[in-house]
Amino acid sequence: MESPPLDLALEPRLDGDTLQQWVFRRLRRSVMAGRFPPGKAVTIRGLADELGVSSMPVREALRRLVAERALVLLDNRRVRVPEMTARRFEELMMARTLLETEAAARALAVADSAFIARLDALNADSDAAVAAADTEAMIETNLAFHGALYGGRADNVLLPLIESVWLQIGPFMRMALADLETHYPVDRHAEALAALRARDEAALRRAIEADIRDGIGHLLAQLG
């Protein structure tokens, strides 16, 4: 029996996008935003039907996502999120911390008033999502804040590497948000913004490291 359809992330088709590019971007964003629940297998045909396309662009997009270790291909034309172990999760957290603290520190070079104002607005959106207990908006606004912080330069090298880690952790974000008030008592985004304004690299690195630790670190106990 066919599984219920996924609630895929919205992703507009941009001018010049091929169908394959749009399908890949939408499925990639859906994995990153946790729309593929851990343990749930989905079919190529089911995804194609939901996207309103043929199987071919979906198959190609899934092939690329398997190569990025975001999904695993099963032997019956289905895919699912890879199983997570405590050791693998700890390594992904370490990779996030190393990459994201460095990317944040490098953002100081482009952190003018307009850059910080944009982050302020994104953080306000994130705060509103938390206040409304809107899980989808919480995930999307968090991704938007971090993406804007790390992606300030057109020649950015670190953000694609960071996104490859987000792809592998994304399916577990809903678990991390289940008890947010207990594990995330301090607004680490606000700390990061204060450090940007003060041009304090050490404080900025500490804020991003704490944001990762407080946001998802408690899942290690569930996976161990």
Side-chain angles (χ1 to χ4, degrees):
M1 188 170 70
E2 187 68 49
S3 299
L6 296 178
D7 181 19
L8 296 178
L10 297 177
E11 189 73 22
R13 187 170 176 179
L14 306 176
D15 290 343
D17 263 359
T18 66
L19 183 61
Q20 283 191 343
Q21 287 170 332
W22 173 71
V23 167
F24 172 69
R25 206 173 60 252
R26 189 170 179 194
L27 290 178
R28 190 174 191 267
R29 186 69 177 188
S30 295
V31 175
M32 198 179 296
R35 304 295 183 101
F36 280 66
K40 177 179 179 178
V42 295
T43 65
I44 294 173
R45 168 47 57 192
L47 289 171
D49 288 346
E50 187 163 351
L51 290 164
V53 300
S54 70
S55 295
M56 186 168 64
V58 173
R59 188 180 297 109
E60 173 60 20
L62 294 177
R63 183 191 65 78
R64 293 172 65 182
L65 289 169
V66 168
E68 290 193 75
R69 304 185 71 180
L71 298 171
V72 291
L73 183 63
L74 306 178
D75 59 5
N76 53 358
R77 296 173 61 84
R78 292 173 179 259
V79 294
R80 63 165 173 78
V81 172
E83 292 183 7
M84 185 64 73
T85 64
R87 180 173 178 175
R88 179 167 173 252
F89 194 82
E90 188 276 331
E91 289 185 0
L92 288 168
M93 277 188 60
M94 179 184 65
R96 276 199 66 185
T97 301
L98 292 171
L99 289 168
E100 293 184 42
T101 53
E102 182 63 23
R106 289 171 181 257
L108 284 166
V110 296
D112 57 15
S113 58
F115 182 87
I116 294 173
R118 183 185 177 206
L119 289 174
D120 272 327
L122 290 170
N123 192 43
D125 291 342
S126 184
D127 289 343
V130 172
D134 184 337
T135 299
E136 306 298 344
M138 288 162 66
I139 293 172
E140 290 291 350
T141 55
N142 184 62
L143 288 172
F145 179 88
H146 285 271
L149 174 58
Y150 309 145
R153 296 192 341 267
D155 61 346
N156 188 288
V157 171
L158 290 177
L159 184 57
L161 298 175
I162 290 166
E163 288 184 342
S164 73
V165 180
W166 288 351
L167 273 171
Q168 297 179 66
I169 287 182
F172 301 87
M173 287 306 298
R174 279 168 176 69
M175 292 169 58
L177 293 173
D179 195 9
L180 187 66
E181 291 183 358
T182 299
H183 301 289
Y184 199 90
V186 178
D187 187 345
R188 302 301 186 180
H189 289 182
E191 289 186 341
L193 285 165
L196 280 172
R197 290 190 175 90
R199 309 201 67 77
D200 186 336
E201 179 181 329
L204 180 56
R205 286 179 180 271
R206 287 194 300 270
I208 295 302
E209 182 174 1
D211 181 64
I212 295 167
R213 181 189 64 240
D214 294 354
I216 62 173
H218 57 282
L219 292 183
L220 275 172
Q222 298 181 42
L223 295 167

